[in-house]
């Protein structure tokens, strides 16, 4: 499945530095507001140490990790919805993303200007979140007016559901609350899905701290997971050869980079799991929502697999490795045959049978 994450924040908070470190794609990170004019898009491999072990046992010629696409847009500023700055012009570029990463500046460096002249993380968070709310409110208000006109022309069950759902969201946005805070039933949720509201998406906050602040920084209670990263350090780390980067992290007492933590936390925030296929040709990671059944997982590989699903051979990745591969695992009775109602588990190695 294709996954997209949008990166938002004020100018000069480290958005493009994060994007560059994640994708190793060179973008303009000059020290001035609105250095990012056009949205930058990059595909990032999801780190998964299990792939190497599986590929070694399966003697695969190729390893293919699952990926996430990150979209970096111009920095937002206060009153962007009224035409200030450039960022609001590009919010449409992230309306279809699955989640949002909001970068918040915590580090203090007189050589890197702050758009408001002072470091106040909570105020910055409120500024960005309000701009996202105002952007959503413009869409919701138009939709509410449209449904109200339809309701006057004649009522129907669908119109009633639509206006009920939109009214709930509109009331929340007008009160300064994100759409994700609104409780909707399944029918109501279906009526507003096509609006792709920014504040309805899961959000993850990245606190951009200095290296010295990594172990001692102010934590905040927010409406999403919070990760503290020194993006300057992560950027430097991403430029090192793999072995040097590993040594550098060991010296710092780190098991993995902050970027790897961010990617994994994004997965968790989106309620995603990974399953694998492994054979001589390739070992590959695939992504599904937690709770997906075997036919749905097969459909991620190819739609024909879902339509013609018969059964799945399933084994946990560790059992696959310990047994010495799929053939030996079958001989040991470790491989299970599962049907259409089987719920895929994280780390399953699966071979699908279809007609």
């Amino acid at each position: 499945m294709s996954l997209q994450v949008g990166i938002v924040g004020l100018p000069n908070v480290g958005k493009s530095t994060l994007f560059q470190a994640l994708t190793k794609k060179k973008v303009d990170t000059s020290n001035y507001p609105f250095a990012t004019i056009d949205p930058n898009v990059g595909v990032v491999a999801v780190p998964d140490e299990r792939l190497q072990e599986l590929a070694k046992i399966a003697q695969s010629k190729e390893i293919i990790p699952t990926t996430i696409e990150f979209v970096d847009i111009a920095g937002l500023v206060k009153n962007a919805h009224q035409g200030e700055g450039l960022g609001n012009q590009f919010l449409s570029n992230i309306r279809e993303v699955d989640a949002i990463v909001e970068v918040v500046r915590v580090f203090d460096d007189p050589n890197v200007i702050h758009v408001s002249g002072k470091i106040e993380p909570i105020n910055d968070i409120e500024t960005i979140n309000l701009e996202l709310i105002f952007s959503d409110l413009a869409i919701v208000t138009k939709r509410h007016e449209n449904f109200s006109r339809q309701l006057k022309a004649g009522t129907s069950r669908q119109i009633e559901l639509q206006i009920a759902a939109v009214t709930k969201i509109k009331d929340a946005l007008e009160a300064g609350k994100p759409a994700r805070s609104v409780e909707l039933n399944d029918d109501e949720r279906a009526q507003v899905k096509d609006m792709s509201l920014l504040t309805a998406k899961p959000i993850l906050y990245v606190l951009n701290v200095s290296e010295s602040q990594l172990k001692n920084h102010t934590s905040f209670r927010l409406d999403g997971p919070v990760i503290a990263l020194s993006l300057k350090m992560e950027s430097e780390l991403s430029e090192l050869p793999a072995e040097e980067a590993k040594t550098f992290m060991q010296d710092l007492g780190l098991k993995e980079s902050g970027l790897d933590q961010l990617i994994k936390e994004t997965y968790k925030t989106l309620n995603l799991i990974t399953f694998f296929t492994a054979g001589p040709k390739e070992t590959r990671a695939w992504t599904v929502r937690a709770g997906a059944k075997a036919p749905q997982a097969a459909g991620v590989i190819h739609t024909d697999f879902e339509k013609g699903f018969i059964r799945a051979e399933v084994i946990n990745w560790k059992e696959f490795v310990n047994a010495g591969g799929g053939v030996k695992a079958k001989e040991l009775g470790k491989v299970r045959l599962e049907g259409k109602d089987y719920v895929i588990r994280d780390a399953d190695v699966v071979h699908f049978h279809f007609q």
Side-chain angles (χ1 to χ4, degrees), residues 275 286 288 292-302 305-306 344 350 352:
F275 73 92
W286 304 89
V288 290
K293 293 185 177 180
Q296 293 173 284
V300 171
I301 298 175
H302 198 288
F305 286 18
E306 181 173 7
I344 294 292
V350 188
F352 294 103

Side-chain angles (χ1 to χ4, degrees), residues 147-162:
F147 287 154
S148 296
R149 284 195 296 269
Q150 291 181 48
L151 191 62
K152 289 179 181 178
T155 186
S156 71
R157 173 60 178 161
Q158 185 175 0
I159 291 295
E160 289 174 354
L161 278 172
Q162 290 171 332

Side-chain angles (χ1 to χ4, degrees), residues 10-15 17 29-33 105-119 208 232:
L10 293 171
N12 288 353
V13 296
K15 293 186 307 84
T17 301
T29 54
S30 303
N31 178 27
Y32 58 88
R105 178 174 170 179
V106 178
F107 74 89
D108 192 3
D109 185 344
N111 296 315
V112 180
I113 61 173
H114 189 287
V115 70
S116 65
K118 51 187 175 181
I119 309 299
N208 188 6
K232 180 181 179 182

Side-chain angles (χ1 to χ4, degrees), residues 63-78:
I63 296 175
I64 305 176
T66 189
T67 60
I68 297 178
E69 190 173 273
F70 283 87
V71 184
D72 174 33
I73 67 167
L76 295 167
V77 293
K78 187 175 182 180

